[in-house]
Amino acid sequence: FEPNAQVLTCLMNACIVNGALPRAWDVFGWIRGSAEGADAKACGVLLNGCIRAGSMDQALELVEESYGLGGRRRLLPRGQDLAVDNMQDLLRALAQRGMRRQTTELIAQLREAGVPLSGRLLSSMLADGPAPVRCEGTGRGDYGRLPPRGVRPLRR
């Protein structure tokens, strides 16, 4: 029995949930070395684990390797990108730790490499302070504004 990348990604996630980030990196090494290689899901799971563990240097290294930044070989197959939510979480975590220079450098490297960056992702980099409030019931997703009277705000 040879586990595929999907099974190994689940194993990697279990390691992360149980606080064993170094073991998750070991599993990621197996995925990377397999015939299928690492995909955006596996990279996203590990990126999320690095963020949760506060390992920003490892998170940045993973993003650089995923996209082949800084002269590295691209890990992700062409046409695959890390999820916007994962990248937003990374940028938010970097900002919370006062790592503005690293954030700016990462954005510049991603742009230079031709990685598509959404406005949502870039706006999360510029946001200072708490997460925006989304108003329930208006149907417009009124981000960043106070909710109308009688409408309950939802925190993301």
Side-chain angles (χ1 to χ4, degrees):
F1 172 73
E2 184 74 24
N4 63 17
Q6 184 178 10
V7 171
L8 291 172
T9 299
C10 290
L11 176 60
M12 188 172 54
N13 191 49
C15 293
I16 290 166
V17 168
N18 287 290
L21 185 60
R23 185 70 177 132
W25 274 100
D26 292 342
V27 175
F28 186 72
W30 296 342
I31 295 171
R32 188 177 10 201
S34 72
E36 299 170 21
D39 61 1
K41 181 67 177 172
C43 293
V45 166
L46 187 56
L47 179 59
N48 189 29
C50 291
I51 294 166
R52 286 177 57 181
S55 299
M56 296 297 105
D57 290 336
Q58 286 183 317
L60 288 169
E61 183 181 318
L62 179 60
V63 171
E64 290 170 1
E65 184 179 0
S66 295
Y67 287 113
L69 306 178
R72 298 172 185 229
R73 189 177 67 80
R74 183 181 167 105
L75 182 62
L76 289 176
R78 288 280 169 208
Q80 284 192 17
D81 293 306
L82 293 169
V84 171
D85 290 340
N86 291 128
M87 294 298 290
Q88 268 187 300
D89 291 344
L90 174 61
L91 295 177
R92 188 175 300 117
L94 290 169
Q96 287 172 348
R97 286 165 178 78
M99 300 175 76
R100 284 285 210 204
R101 182 183 53 78
Q102 291 90 333
T103 305
T104 305
E105 288 173 2
L106 177 63
I107 295 294
Q109 286 180 320
L110 291 169
R111 279 187 167 161
E112 187 178 311
V115 175
L117 299 173
S118 72
R120 187 173 126 201
L121 180 62
L122 293 174
S123 68
S124 73
M125 178 189 83
L126 300 174
D128 288 326
V133 175
R134 181 172 160 253
C135 299
E136 177 183 38
T138 63
R140 294 177 296 197
D142 299 320
Y143 290 94
R145 296 191 353 216
L146 292 175
R149 195 174 290 214
V151 174
R152 188 174 88 234
L154 294 175
R155 291 275 175 205
R156 291 196 291 162

